[in-house]
Amino acid sequence: MRRLVHLSDLHFGRDRPEVLGPLLSSVNAMAPDLVIISGDLTQRATHEQFAAAADFIKGLQAATLCVPGNHDVPLHNLFLRLFMPWRRYRRWITSDMHPTFQDDEIVVIGVNTVNPFAWQRGWFRSKAMRRVCAIFGNSNDGRRHFVVAHHPLEHLPGEAKSLMRGASTGLRRLAECGVDAILSGHLHSWRAEPYAHVEGRSAALQIHAGTSLSNRLRGEVNDFNVLEIDKDQMTVTRHAFTDNSACFAAISSVTFTSTAQGWR
């Protein structure tokens, strides 16, 4: 069995200091095999905010895999955003913009979906799709396949934010090359369910985390996901921060079973 912790949208600079300690201690108590952070580590991509995010990552006792979010690119410094968008992220977080984690049970691939030229809307590039499918194609050995991206590949009706460019093609291509689940954030809302059914397409799971640390709650709570993967089952448990207890606790859980048509 493998245990993954999925955080997203930390937004240092708009973080809740009272949540930081409980978040760190809760994640470490899970003793995960990997901690995944699906972007927006900062609010405005300043050195100070990246330094705070780097300190948080150093406090994690497990291996980590991070991808950037649109807030991790300088918004108001147009020169940096257009010509050196990843300079601060590379300095403080990681120089690896295409992170991969593999062991004998899982393969996790990070995809940078940020488009500095269209600051909020993402872009799942064809090159990224080819890279993911090439890695998954070379690991067809029964391991479970995960993709981490900041921007979701599907929105609920009525979502105000634009679906990222290349999302529909990306979802189809990833299903064809055997993705089991796509972990994302960006919307500050929680979700764990198969993607909308399309005839002939294997059912992959979409797993969104809300914001694990920010005060930009948008009517929800600070949360993170714990994924437990065991052969043909995957359980996703949502852990949420409650002001009354000042700690994170499990508030919901859903178990999926792998079938010939994908996850159900």
Side-chain angles (χ1 to χ4, degrees), residues 24-134:
L24 192 60
S25 60
S26 295
V27 172
N28 286 336
M30 298 291 168
D33 298 286
L34 179 68
V35 177
I36 292 165
I37 306 176
S38 56
D40 277 1
L41 286 80
T42 69
Q43 176 65 16
R44 283 291 175 257
T46 66
H47 286 292
E48 294 77 13
Q49 292 168 9
F50 273 125
D55 284 343
F56 173 79
I57 293 171
K58 289 176 184 176
L60 296 171
Q61 296 169 1
T64 61
L65 184 149
C66 296
V67 297
N70 55 291
H71 278 267
D72 298 321
V73 172
L75 174 62
H76 301 298
N77 188 324
L78 188 61
F79 178 81
L80 278 183
R81 178 156 64 92
L82 298 183
F83 297 103
M84 293 181 288
W86 314 118
R87 185 175 185 177
R88 295 174 181 175
Y89 181 88
R90 288 178 184 272
R91 173 183 173 183
W92 289 103
I93 306 303
T94 177
S95 60
D96 188 357
M97 304 301 295
H98 310 286
T100 301
F101 176 92
Q102 301 189 46
D103 64 16
D104 58 355
E105 293 189 30
I106 60 173
V107 183
V108 185
I109 301 175
V111 176
N112 179 8
T113 57
V114 178
N115 180 6
F117 297 96
W119 181 73
Q120 188 175 93
R121 188 182 184 190
W123 182 12
F124 204 120
R125 297 165 178 82
S126 298
K127 183 178 181 180
M129 296 180 207
R130 292 193 297 269
R131 170 180 162 266
V132 170
C133 289

Side-chain angles (χ1 to χ4, degrees), residues 190-194 205-207 225-228 233-238 251-257 264:
W190 184 88
R191 195 175 177 190
E193 62 185 15
L205 298 177
Q206 55 176 328
I207 301 173
N225 293 319
V226 177
L227 284 68
E228 294 177 303
Q233 284 197 329
M234 188 185 314
T235 298
V236 181
T237 303
R238 185 188 189 192
I251 61 170
S252 64
S253 184
V254 58
T255 297
F256 301 97
T257 300
R264 295 289 185 267

Side-chain angles (χ1 to χ4, degrees), residues 216-234:
R216 302 173 73 232
L217 293 172
R218 298 177 185 168
E220 298 210 13
V221 293
N222 294 109
D223 67 12
F224 67 86
N225 293 319
V226 177
L227 284 68
E228 294 177 303
I229 305 104
D230 189 8
K231 297 181 181 179
D232 291 332
Q233 284 197 329
M234 188 185 314

